[in-house]
Amino acid sequence: MATIKDVAKKAHVSVATVSRVINQKGYVNSETREMVLEAIKELDYVPNELARSLFQKKSSIIAVLVPHLTSYYFAELLEFIEDITLELDYRLMVCNSHDDPEKEAQYLKIFDQYNIDGLILIANTHRIEDYKKLDIPIIEIDHKLTEDIPSITSNNVLGGKLAAEKLINTGCKKIIHFRGPSDLMTVRERTDGFKSVLEKNEVYNFSYDLDFKTPSPEDIENVIWSNLDCDGVFCDSDYIAILAIQALKKAGKKIPEEVQVIGFDNIELADVLKPHLTTVSQNRQKIAEYAINSLMKLINKESLEVFHRKIDVELIERDTTK
Amino acid sequence: MATIKDVAKKAHVSVATVSRVINQKGYVNSETREMVLEAIKELDYVPNELARSLFQKKSSIIAVLVPHLTSYYFAELLEFIEDITLELDYRLMVCNSHDDPEKEAQYLKIFDQYNIDGLILIANTHRIEDYKKLDIPIIEIDHKLTEDIPSITSNNVLGGKLAAEKLINTGCKKIIHFRGPSDLMTVRERTDGFKSVLEKNEVYNFSYDLDFKTPSPEDIENVIWSNLDCDGVFCDSDYIAILAIQALKKAGKKIPEEVQVIGFDNIELADVLKPHLTTVSQNRQKIAEYAINSLMKLINKESLEVFHRKIDVELIERDTTK
DNA sequence: TTGTAAGCGTTATCAC
DNA sequence: GTGATAACGCTTACAA
């Protein structure tokens, strides 16, 4: 590994000059520059980012703390985030919390140690204080833990409303809402939006809590078998919706003629599996873009025009609704 | 952010002593140690890993280069890898190549810049020389690009054989093999294993190439409609198998009575979607464990007892075979 | 326009 | 046992 010294020696200049060339800062004679560039090329020199980081107290690394890697929603979000950060010449450190406070704490420490420039936080946790202690910029996705930490979330209330309106407008009279854990803000918001519309229209409905990561197919089946007269199902994830559809089919229900189903997320499978799933689409690309964008602003000490941003969701109508 | 100097000052000792305490190296009086520990706690001090890395020329960061994040197979592999690295107190840098040589090249540069300690390579690429130039330990997963780079792969030949044997033993006479891109080693190996058994038994079969990331449902459907007399389908991924099952159902085929289907990977959905999919299971946990294990050995300058390791696959029989 | 040298936060090698 | 101090590879005043 060639160092800046090697380059300096080869180009017969000082390390300061080489540094100026690399960083395109300060004056440097164009002939000298050529020599240096030449030497850099010959030696295959790349500046050591660690040394740089040490001096500048910034690492060009940003961390993403996610609760899981294996659910499509998070994986795709991460993929978008990675795309953008690479473009901006930042690196990505993945931190998988497994929703485990212990692991989060472990990572929290690491962020300081590596001069992480910023953190994208997608956590179901509630250890707000620990995050506030961190003196690096944070952008939260999906949740809004506190007013102090800027956030990007989907407009979940709208999502709930859109689903409810669709089901009502197509004549549903008894609706099951298979939701996520109701202690999550996203879930409560969707429920609020959903119920607000249904109650105004006096349509019978109830919510059943499931785990997002491993929703129990048996539970779903049981709920459906004890409510065979339902004609609408709204699910807080497409994965849950897929399970619900299976249960409904098993119960001999025709979709969408007898029962309509709406999912949430718009994962890849929603458009592939049959029947194609009507779903509330979260714009993950936009979420990722705004998140990184905002994070960059904070890193550059600029202020955010919108501190808590809501990204609109959209109802994608496919074959599980009329 | 407190530094080692702050701690030294507070504890009325030199930085050298603090360093000794932190690293538990060299002699240090137990009373002094107590004082230092006290100071560390009071100041909430954590050593700066970048400075450490700079000196030691190791970063405790390992990089994982993957072709995608959104396919379940890679996501879960990454998840296992992250689990293990965190346990070993290493950080993970995710590098998503999108199968794009440009991006790979970009990342290749970065590995040097950050003193990355090792690389887990899961690439479909063939830029062997560039990787060899890298003077960091590499473990390759899924492929074996060259004899020089140690690899961990599933026993794909065995996978193909197991599938073929199952189909033959249950009476299949005409078998379609929906495989991945045949320029991939994994795919060729599976094909080899598969065909070796079928040809020995003189069973008619043919292979059809698909993209792993976005296999075309239309292509699958077309192939099936032009081969309605087939009674066995072997797919190189569970995702493909799911699409094939849909096409078969649409064609009015009964599974497994009229047509049997076997997938590959054993993703989560295989055991959830109906009919539950018979599949060749790749042991991702074991692959991840061996990969990190081997990488650690290389990092510690130890030699590997097995340079190219094959992990056995297993046929998981569910409801799509007799 | 260029070079010298201090400093970023560590660790390790010496003396003492 | 402990403390100076050089070194890791870089950037940036400040001099020249």
Side-chain angles (χ1 to χ4, degrees):
Chain A
M1 282 277 61
T3 74
I4 198 170
K5 275 188 197 163
D6 302 326
V7 177
K9 201 174 292 175
K10 182 143 209 152
H12 304 292
V13 295
S14 72
V15 292
T17 303
V18 178
S19 177
R20 283 187 204 103
V21 172
I22 296 167
N23 299 295
Q24 316 190 40
K25 264 183 192 166
Y27 301 101
V28 41
N29 185 353
S30 62
E31 282 185 28
T32 325
R33 166 176 293 112
E34 286 314 313
M35 306 219 39
V36 172
L37 257 19
E38 180 82 8
I40 287 178
K41 190 168 289 176
E42 278 185 34
L43 293 172
D44 248 335
Y45 168 75
V46 277
N48 183 317
E49 274 303 323
L50 294 179
R52 231 176 195 172
S53 307
L54 185 57
F55 188 89
Q56 299 178 151
K57 291 163 177 325
K58 70 180 293 289
S59 59
S60 294
I61 298 178
I62 79 164
V64 186
L65 187 72
V66 290
H68 300 287
L69 257 17
T70 41
S71 53
Y72 191 83
Y73 175 78
F74 293 126
E76 205 188 42
L77 205 46
L78 189 63
E79 192 157 87
F80 282 132
I81 289 173
E82 202 268 357
D83 289 349
I84 305 169
T85 47
L86 182 61
E87 205 137 303
L88 296 174
D89 213 24
Y90 274 76
R91 331 282 151 245
L92 212 60
M93 183 158 138
V94 263
C95 311
N96 190 354
S97 70
H98 283 282
D99 265 335
D100 174 358
E102 291 284 322
K103 298 209 178 199
E104 282 187 40
Q106 206 174 339
Y107 268 121
L108 242 31
K109 228 184 193 173
I110 292 169
F111 298 154
D112 281 336
Q113 291 184 299
Y114 281 87
N115 290 8
I116 296 293
D117 291 348
L119 169 65
I120 300 281
L121 181 62
I122 320 179
N124 297 329
T125 183
H126 300 283
R127 328 178 97 235
I128 315 171
E129 293 311 320
D130 293 345
Y131 290 104
K132 284 193 191 167
K133 257 190 247 161
L134 237 50
D135 53 356
I136 55 171
I138 304 180
I139 298 285
E140 208 184 352
I141 291 183
D142 270 10
H143 289 257
K144 181 176 140 189
L145 282 179
T146 153
E147 284 299 326
D148 314 355
I149 300 178
S151 66
I152 319 263
T153 53
S154 281
N155 190 336
N156 286 297
V157 176
L158 176 63
K161 278 185 186 166
L162 290 176
E165 280 161 7
K166 176 70 193 175
L167 293 177
I168 284 181
N169 293 339
T170 47
C172 290
K173 297 292 176 215
K174 176 171 179 180
I175 303 176
I176 306 176
H177 177 202
F178 284 116
R179 64 179 171 185
S182 51
D183 57 319
L184 295 186
M185 204 190 71
T186 50
V187 172
R188 284 200 308 273
E189 287 180 349
R190 290 175 198 176
T191 306
D192 289 348
F194 189 66
K195 285 207 186 296
S196 73
V197 172
L198 293 187
E199 277 159 18
K200 199 172 3 169
N201 290 269
E202 295 177 349
V203 170
Y204 178 81
N205 73 90
F206 68 93
S207 300
Y208 187 87
D209 280 32
L210 291 163
D211 183 42
F212 268 134
K213 177 70 186 147
T214 51
S216 153
E218 294 76 27
D219 283 7
I220 294 173
E221 222 166 87
N222 288 339
V223 171
I224 284 174
W225 279 92
S226 2
N227 295 276
L228 285 174
D229 55 338
C230 81
D231 50 9
V233 176
F234 172 44
C235 304
D236 263 7
S237 78
D238 287 346
Y239 188 59
I240 294 176
I242 289 167
L243 296 178
I245 289 173
Q246 285 200 159
L248 288 165
K249 278 188 183 166
K250 189 169 172 190
K253 294 291 180 184
K254 290 214 164 16
I255 301 170
E257 295 81 1
E258 297 171 350
V259 187
Q260 300 188 65
V261 180
I262 298 181
F264 213 104
D265 288 345
N266 194 27
I267 65 174
E268 201 179 23
L269 279 173
D271 199 26
V272 165
L273 250 37
K274 286 178 189 157
H276 297 323
L277 182 65
T278 293
T279 189
V280 178
S281 170
Q282 301 203 61
N283 196 330
R284 291 176 286 274
Q285 168 119 43
K286 215 166 178 180
I287 292 175
E289 277 169 9
Y290 274 120
I292 298 295
N293 225 305
S294 304
L295 194 61
M296 289 303 148
K297 283 197 178 139
L298 293 179
I299 289 174
N300 299 323
K301 309 283 182 202
E302 298 167 36
S303 61
L304 301 179
E305 55 273 35
V306 185
F307 208 76
H308 296 286
R309 190 184 289 271
K310 282 213 185 311
I311 308 290
D312 268 356
V313 295
E314 194 188 349
L315 183 74
I316 310 275
E317 303 195 25
R318 298 205 184 92
D319 308 337
T320 57
T321 48
K322 291 181 197 162
Chain B
M1 282 277 64
T3 74
I4 198 171
K5 275 186 196 164
D6 301 326
V7 177
K9 201 173 292 174
K10 181 142 208 153
H12 304 291
V13 296
S14 73
V15 293
T17 304
V18 178
S19 179
R20 282 189 203 103
V21 173
I22 297 168
N23 299 295
Q24 317 190 39
K25 263 181 193 167
Y27 300 100
V28 40
N29 185 353
S30 62
E31 284 184 26
T32 324
R33 167 177 292 111
E34 286 314 312
M35 306 221 37
V36 172
L37 256 21
E38 180 82 7
I40 288 179
K41 190 168 290 175
E42 278 186 34
L43 293 171
D44 248 337
Y45 166 76
V46 277
N48 183 317
E49 274 303 324
L50 294 179
R52 234 176 193 169
S53 307
L54 183 59
F55 187 89
Q56 299 178 152
K57 291 162 175 325
K58 72 179 290 289
S59 59
S60 295
I61 298 179
I62 80 163
V64 186
L65 188 72
V66 291
H68 300 286
L69 257 17
T70 42
S71 53
Y72 191 84
Y73 176 78
F74 293 126
E76 204 187 46
L77 205 46
L78 189 63
E79 192 158 89
F80 282 131
I81 290 174
E82 201 268 357
D83 289 350
I84 305 169
T85 47
L86 182 61
E87 205 138 304
L88 295 174
D89 213 25
Y90 273 76
R91 331 282 150 245
L92 211 60
M93 184 158 138
V94 263
C95 311
N96 190 354
S97 71
H98 282 282
D99 265 335
D100 174 358
E102 293 283 322
K103 297 208 179 204
E104 281 187 40
Q106 206 174 340
Y107 268 121
L108 243 31
K109 231 184 192 173
I110 292 168
F111 299 154
D112 281 337
Q113 292 184 298
Y114 282 86
N115 289 9
I116 296 295
D117 290 348
L119 169 65
I120 300 282
L121 181 62
I122 318 178
N124 297 329
T125 183
H126 299 283
R127 328 179 96 234
I128 314 172
E129 294 311 320
D130 293 345
Y131 290 104
K132 282 193 190 165
K133 257 189 247 161
L134 235 49
D135 53 355
I136 55 172
I138 303 179
I139 297 285
E140 209 184 351
I141 291 183
D142 269 9
H143 288 258
K144 181 174 139 189
L145 283 179
T146 155
E147 284 298 328
D148 313 355
I149 299 179
S151 66
I152 319 264
T153 54
S154 279
N155 190 336
N156 286 297
V157 176
L158 176 62
K161 279 186 185 162
L162 289 176
E165 279 161 6
K166 176 70 195 175
L167 293 177
I168 285 180
N169 293 341
T170 47
C172 290
K173 296 293 176 219
K174 176 171 178 180
I175 302 177
I176 307 176
H177 177 202
F178 285 116
R179 65 178 170 185
S182 53
D183 57 318
L184 295 186
M185 204 190 71
T186 50
V187 171
R188 285 200 308 274
E189 287 180 349
R190 290 175 198 176
T191 307
D192 288 349
F194 188 66
K195 286 208 185 294
S196 74
V197 173
L198 293 187
E199 276 160 17
K200 199 171 6 165
N201 290 270
E202 295 177 351
V203 170
Y204 177 80
N205 73 90
F206 68 93
S207 299
Y208 186 88
D209 281 33
L210 291 163
D211 183 43
F212 268 135
K213 176 70 184 148
T214 51
S216 154
E218 294 75 28
D219 283 8
I220 293 173
E221 222 165 87
N222 288 339
V223 171
I224 284 174
W225 280 91
S226 4
N227 293 277
L228 285 174
D229 55 337
C230 81
D231 51 8
V233 176
F234 172 43
C235 304
D236 263 6
S237 78
D238 288 345
Y239 188 60
I240 295 176
I242 288 167
L243 296 178
I245 289 173
Q246 286 200 159
L248 288 166
K249 279 187 183 168
K250 188 171 172 186
K253 293 290 181 185
K254 289 212 166 17
I255 301 168
E257 295 80 1
E258 297 171 351
V259 187
Q260 300 187 67
V261 180
I262 297 181
F264 213 105
D265 286 347
N266 194 25
I267 64 175
E268 201 179 23
L269 279 174
D271 199 25
V272 165
L273 250 38
K274 286 175 189 158
H276 296 323
L277 183 66
T278 293
T279 188
V280 178
S281 170
Q282 302 203 60
N283 195 332
R284 291 177 287 273
Q285 169 121 43
K286 215 166 179 179
I287 292 176
E289 277 170 10
Y290 274 120
I292 297 295
N293 225 307
S294 304
L295 194 61
M296 289 302 147
K297 281 196 179 139
L298 293 179
I299 289 174
N300 299 323
K301 309 282 183 205
E302 298 166 36
S303 62
L304 301 178
E305 56 274 34
V306 184
F307 207 76
H308 296 286
R309 190 184 289 270
K310 282 211 187 309
I311 307 291
D312 268 356
V313 295
E314 193 189 349
L315 184 73
I316 309 277
E317 303 196 24
R318 298 206 183 92
D319 307 337
T320 57
T321 47
K322 290 179 197 164

Short mmCIF file of all heavy atoms in Angstrom, two decimals, chain A residues 99-133:
data_model
loop_
_atom_site.label_atom_id
_atom_site.label_comp_id
_atom_site.label_asym_id
_atom_site.label_seq_id
_atom_site.Cartn_x
_atom_site.Cartn_y
_atom_site.Cartn_z
N ASP A 99 -34.39 -6.04 16.82
CA ASP A 99 -35.32 -5.48 17.81
C ASP A 99 -34.84 -5.71 19.23
O ASP A 99 -35.64 -5.71 20.16
CB ASP A 99 -36.72 -6.12 17.65
CG ASP A 99 -37.61 -5.25 16.78
OD1 ASP A 99 -37.36 -4.04 16.71
OD2 ASP A 99 -38.54 -5.79 16.15
N ASP A 100 -33.56 -5.90 19.38
CA ASP A 100 -33.00 -6.24 20.68
C ASP A 100 -32.23 -5.04 21.26
O ASP A 100 -31.23 -4.61 20.71
CB ASP A 100 -32.06 -7.45 20.49
CG ASP A 100 -31.30 -7.80 21.75
OD1 ASP A 100 -31.47 -7.11 22.77
OD2 ASP A 100 -30.53 -8.78 21.71
N PRO A 101 -32.72 -4.50 22.37
CA PRO A 101 -32.09 -3.32 22.98
C PRO A 101 -30.61 -3.53 23.27
O PRO A 101 -29.82 -2.60 23.16
CB PRO A 101 -32.87 -3.15 24.28
CG PRO A 101 -34.19 -3.80 24.05
CD PRO A 101 -33.91 -4.94 23.12
N GLU A 102 -30.24 -4.74 23.61
CA GLU A 102 -28.83 -5.06 23.88
C GLU A 102 -27.97 -4.74 22.66
O GLU A 102 -26.94 -4.09 22.75
CB GLU A 102 -28.68 -6.56 24.18
CG GLU A 102 -29.27 -7.01 25.47
CD GLU A 102 -28.42 -6.60 26.66
OE1 GLU A 102 -27.18 -6.66 26.53
OE2 GLU A 102 -29.00 -6.21 27.70
N LYS A 103 -28.42 -5.26 21.53
CA LYS A 103 -27.64 -5.06 20.31
C LYS A 103 -27.62 -3.60 19.91
O LYS A 103 -26.62 -3.08 19.43
CB LYS A 103 -28.22 -5.90 19.16
CG LYS A 103 -28.16 -7.38 19.44
CD LYS A 103 -28.04 -8.19 18.16
CE LYS A 103 -27.95 -9.67 18.55
NZ LYS A 103 -27.42 -10.51 17.51
N GLU A 104 -28.74 -2.94 20.12
CA GLU A 104 -28.77 -1.51 19.82
C GLU A 104 -27.73 -0.77 20.64
O GLU A 104 -26.99 0.07 20.13
CB GLU A 104 -30.16 -0.94 20.12
CG GLU A 104 -31.17 -1.25 19.06
CD GLU A 104 -32.48 -0.53 19.31
OE1 GLU A 104 -32.46 0.64 19.71
OE2 GLU A 104 -33.54 -1.16 19.10
N ALA A 105 -27.67 -1.11 21.91
CA ALA A 105 -26.72 -0.46 22.80
C ALA A 105 -25.30 -0.70 22.33
O ALA A 105 -24.46 0.19 22.32
CB ALA A 105 -26.91 -0.97 24.23
N GLN A 106 -25.06 -1.93 21.90
CA GLN A 106 -23.74 -2.30 21.42
C GLN A 106 -23.36 -1.41 20.22
O GLN A 106 -22.24 -0.91 20.13
CB GLN A 106 -23.77 -3.78 21.00
CG GLN A 106 -22.43 -4.47 21.07
CD GLN A 106 -22.57 -5.97 20.79
OE1 GLN A 106 -23.66 -6.54 20.92
NE2 GLN A 106 -21.47 -6.59 20.40
N TYR A 107 -24.29 -1.25 19.33
CA TYR A 107 -24.02 -0.45 18.14
C TYR A 107 -23.89 1.04 18.47
O TYR A 107 -23.09 1.75 17.89
CB TYR A 107 -25.10 -0.68 17.08
CG TYR A 107 -24.73 -1.77 16.12
CD1 TYR A 107 -25.52 -2.89 15.97
CD2 TYR A 107 -23.56 -1.69 15.37
CE1 TYR A 107 -25.17 -3.91 15.09
CE2 TYR A 107 -23.19 -2.70 14.50
CZ TYR A 107 -24.00 -3.80 14.36
OH TYR A 107 -23.64 -4.81 13.50
N LEU A 108 -24.70 1.48 19.39
CA LEU A 108 -24.66 2.89 19.79
C LEU A 108 -23.24 3.30 20.15
O LEU A 108 -22.76 4.38 19.79
CB LEU A 108 -25.58 3.08 21.00
CG LEU A 108 -26.78 4.01 20.86
CD1 LEU A 108 -27.33 4.04 19.46
CD2 LEU A 108 -27.86 3.63 21.84
N LYS A 109 -22.57 2.42 20.84
CA LYS A 109 -21.20 2.68 21.25
C LYS A 109 -20.29 2.80 20.02
O LYS A 109 -19.43 3.68 19.93
CB LYS A 109 -20.72 1.52 22.12
CG LYS A 109 -20.07 1.93 23.41
CD LYS A 109 -19.57 0.68 24.11
CE LYS A 109 -19.18 0.95 25.55
NZ LYS A 109 -18.87 -0.31 26.25
N ILE A 110 -20.51 1.89 19.12
CA ILE A 110 -19.66 1.82 17.94
C ILE A 110 -19.73 3.09 17.10
O ILE A 110 -18.74 3.51 16.51
CB ILE A 110 -20.07 0.58 17.11
CG1 ILE A 110 -19.70 -0.69 17.88
CG2 ILE A 110 -19.40 0.60 15.74
CD1 ILE A 110 -20.28 -1.96 17.31
N PHE A 111 -20.90 3.70 17.07
CA PHE A 111 -21.07 4.88 16.23
C PHE A 111 -20.07 5.96 16.62
O PHE A 111 -19.48 6.63 15.76
CB PHE A 111 -22.49 5.43 16.35
CG PHE A 111 -23.53 4.46 15.88
CD1 PHE A 111 -24.82 4.51 16.36
CD2 PHE A 111 -23.20 3.48 14.94
CE1 PHE A 111 -25.78 3.61 15.93
CE2 PHE A 111 -24.16 2.57 14.51
CZ PHE A 111 -25.45 2.64 15.01
N ASP A 112 -19.87 6.15 17.90
CA ASP A 112 -18.89 7.13 18.35
C ASP A 112 -17.49 6.71 17.98
O ASP A 112 -16.69 7.49 17.50
CB ASP A 112 -18.98 7.30 19.87
CG ASP A 112 -20.14 8.19 20.27
OD1 ASP A 112 -20.56 9.00 19.43
OD2 ASP A 112 -20.61 8.07 21.40
N GLN A 113 -17.21 5.44 18.22
CA GLN A 113 -15.86 4.94 18.02
C GLN A 113 -15.35 5.11 16.61
O GLN A 113 -14.17 5.26 16.37
CB GLN A 113 -15.80 3.45 18.37
CG GLN A 113 -15.98 3.18 19.84
CD GLN A 113 -15.80 1.72 20.12
OE1 GLN A 113 -16.54 0.90 19.61
NE2 GLN A 113 -14.81 1.39 20.92
N TYR A 114 -16.27 5.05 15.66
CA TYR A 114 -15.84 5.11 14.27
C TYR A 114 -16.10 6.47 13.62
O TYR A 114 -16.05 6.58 12.40
CB TYR A 114 -16.52 4.01 13.46
CG TYR A 114 -15.87 2.66 13.67
CD1 TYR A 114 -16.25 1.85 14.71
CD2 TYR A 114 -14.84 2.23 12.82
CE1 TYR A 114 -15.65 0.61 14.92
CE2 TYR A 114 -14.24 1.00 13.02
CZ TYR A 114 -14.66 0.20 14.07
OH TYR A 114 -14.05 -1.02 14.26
N ASN A 115 -16.38 7.45 14.45
CA ASN A 115 -16.70 8.77 13.88
C ASN A 115 -17.76 8.67 12.78
O ASN A 115 -17.64 9.32 11.74
CB ASN A 115 -15.47 9.45 13.29
CG ASN A 115 -14.48 9.88 14.33
OD1 ASN A 115 -14.63 9.55 15.51
ND2 ASN A 115 -13.47 10.63 13.92
N ILE A 116 -18.74 7.84 13.01
CA ILE A 116 -19.83 7.73 12.05
C ILE A 116 -20.43 9.12 11.81
O ILE A 116 -20.66 9.87 12.75
CB ILE A 116 -20.93 6.78 12.61
CG1 ILE A 116 -20.39 5.38 12.79
CG2 ILE A 116 -22.16 6.79 11.72
CD1 ILE A 116 -20.04 4.69 11.52
N ASP A 117 -20.63 9.44 10.56
CA ASP A 117 -21.10 10.80 10.24
C ASP A 117 -22.59 11.00 10.48
O ASP A 117 -23.04 12.12 10.74
CB ASP A 117 -20.81 11.13 8.77
CG ASP A 117 -19.33 11.28 8.54
OD1 ASP A 117 -18.58 11.37 9.53
OD2 ASP A 117 -18.91 11.32 7.37
N GLY A 118 -23.34 9.92 10.37
CA GLY A 118 -24.77 10.07 10.56
C GLY A 118 -25.44 8.72 10.70
O GLY A 118 -24.85 7.69 10.38
N LEU A 119 -26.65 8.75 11.19
CA LEU A 119 -27.36 7.51 11.44
C LEU A 119 -28.77 7.54 10.86
O LEU A 119 -29.51 8.50 11.06
CB LEU A 119 -27.44 7.27 12.96
CG LEU A 119 -28.37 6.16 13.45
CD1 LEU A 119 -27.90 4.80 12.96
CD2 LEU A 119 -28.47 6.18 14.97
N ILE A 120 -29.08 6.50 10.12
CA ILE A 120 -30.45 6.30 9.68
C ILE A 120 -31.05 5.27 10.62
O ILE A 120 -30.56 4.15 10.71
CB ILE A 120 -30.52 5.75 8.24
CG1 ILE A 120 -29.86 6.70 7.25
CG2 ILE A 120 -31.97 5.47 7.86
CD1 ILE A 120 -30.69 7.88 6.86
N LEU A 121 -32.05 5.68 11.31
CA LEU A 121 -32.59 4.86 12.39
C LEU A 121 -33.95 4.29 12.00
O LEU A 121 -34.89 5.03 11.74
CB LEU A 121 -32.73 5.74 13.64
CG LEU A 121 -33.26 5.11 14.91
CD1 LEU A 121 -32.34 4.00 15.38
CD2 LEU A 121 -33.39 6.18 15.99
N ILE A 122 -34.02 2.98 11.92
CA ILE A 122 -35.30 2.33 11.65
C ILE A 122 -35.52 1.33 12.77
O ILE A 122 -35.30 0.14 12.60
CB ILE A 122 -35.30 1.58 10.30
CG1 ILE A 122 -34.56 2.39 9.24
CG2 ILE A 122 -36.72 1.27 9.86
CD1 ILE A 122 -34.50 1.72 7.88
N ALA A 123 -35.88 1.84 13.91
CA ALA A 123 -35.95 0.96 15.07
C ALA A 123 -37.33 0.99 15.68
O ALA A 123 -38.02 2.00 15.62
CB ALA A 123 -34.92 1.39 16.10
N ASN A 124 -37.73 -0.13 16.21
CA ASN A 124 -39.00 -0.19 16.90
C ASN A 124 -38.81 0.12 18.38
O ASN A 124 -39.74 0.07 19.15
CB ASN A 124 -39.63 -1.57 16.73
CG ASN A 124 -39.92 -1.87 15.29
OD1 ASN A 124 -40.21 -0.97 14.51
ND2 ASN A 124 -39.82 -3.14 14.92
N THR A 125 -37.61 0.41 18.70
CA THR A 125 -37.24 0.60 20.10
C THR A 125 -37.77 1.91 20.66
O THR A 125 -38.31 2.73 19.95
CB THR A 125 -35.72 0.62 20.21
OG1 THR A 125 -35.39 0.74 21.57
CG2 THR A 125 -35.18 1.82 19.47
N HIS A 126 -37.55 2.10 21.91
CA HIS A 126 -37.99 3.36 22.50
C HIS A 126 -36.93 3.92 23.43
O HIS A 126 -37.25 4.60 24.39
CB HIS A 126 -39.32 3.16 23.22
CG HIS A 126 -40.40 2.70 22.30
ND1 HIS A 126 -41.04 3.54 21.43
CD2 HIS A 126 -40.89 1.47 22.07
CE1 HIS A 126 -41.92 2.84 20.73
NE2 HIS A 126 -41.85 1.58 21.09
N ARG A 127 -35.68 3.61 23.16
CA ARG A 127 -34.62 4.11 24.02
C ARG A 127 -34.19 5.49 23.54
O ARG A 127 -33.03 5.73 23.20
CB ARG A 127 -33.43 3.17 24.01
CG ARG A 127 -33.81 1.70 23.82
CD ARG A 127 -32.58 0.82 23.77
NE ARG A 127 -32.31 0.25 25.06
CZ ARG A 127 -31.17 0.35 25.70
NH1 ARG A 127 -30.19 1.07 25.19
NH2 ARG A 127 -30.99 -0.23 26.86
N ILE A 128 -35.15 6.37 23.52
CA ILE A 128 -34.92 7.70 22.97
C ILE A 128 -33.69 8.38 23.56
O ILE A 128 -32.86 8.94 22.83
CB ILE A 128 -36.12 8.62 23.25
CG1 ILE A 128 -37.41 7.87 22.94
CG2 ILE A 128 -36.01 9.89 22.45
CD1 ILE A 128 -38.63 8.62 23.38
N GLU A 129 -33.59 8.31 24.87
CA GLU A 129 -32.53 9.08 25.53
C GLU A 129 -31.15 8.71 25.01
O GLU A 129 -30.30 9.57 24.81
CB GLU A 129 -32.62 8.87 27.05
CG GLU A 129 -33.88 9.47 27.66
CD GLU A 129 -34.12 10.92 27.22
OE1 GLU A 129 -33.14 11.68 27.12
OE2 GLU A 129 -35.28 11.27 26.95
N ASP A 130 -30.94 7.42 24.81
CA ASP A 130 -29.64 6.97 24.33
C ASP A 130 -29.31 7.57 22.97
O ASP A 130 -28.17 7.90 22.69
CB ASP A 130 -29.62 5.44 24.22
CG ASP A 130 -29.70 4.80 25.59
OD1 ASP A 130 -29.49 5.52 26.59
OD2 ASP A 130 -29.97 3.59 25.66
N TYR A 131 -30.33 7.70 22.15
CA TYR A 131 -30.08 8.25 20.82
C TYR A 131 -29.80 9.74 20.90
O TYR A 131 -28.96 10.26 20.18
CB TYR A 131 -31.27 7.97 19.90
CG TYR A 131 -31.37 6.52 19.55
CD1 TYR A 131 -32.31 5.70 20.13
CD2 TYR A 131 -30.45 5.97 18.65
CE1 TYR A 131 -32.36 4.35 19.83
CE2 TYR A 131 -30.50 4.62 18.34
CZ TYR A 131 -31.46 3.82 18.94
OH TYR A 131 -31.49 2.49 18.64
N LYS A 132 -30.51 10.39 21.78
CA LYS A 132 -30.29 11.83 21.92
C LYS A 132 -28.87 12.12 22.40
O LYS A 132 -28.28 13.13 22.04
CB LYS A 132 -31.30 12.42 22.91
CG LYS A 132 -32.70 12.57 22.32
CD LYS A 132 -33.54 13.44 23.24
CE LYS A 132 -35.00 13.40 22.83
NZ LYS A 132 -35.86 13.98 23.87
N LYS A 133 -28.35 11.23 23.21
CA LYS A 133 -26.99 11.43 23.73
C LYS A 133 -25.96 11.42 22.61
O LYS A 133 -24.93 12.06 22.67
CB LYS A 133 -26.67 10.31 24.74
CG LYS A 133 -26.76 10.78 26.20
CD LYS A 133 -26.20 9.72 27.12
CE LYS A 133 -27.30 9.12 27.98
NZ LYS A 133 -26.98 7.82 28.56
#
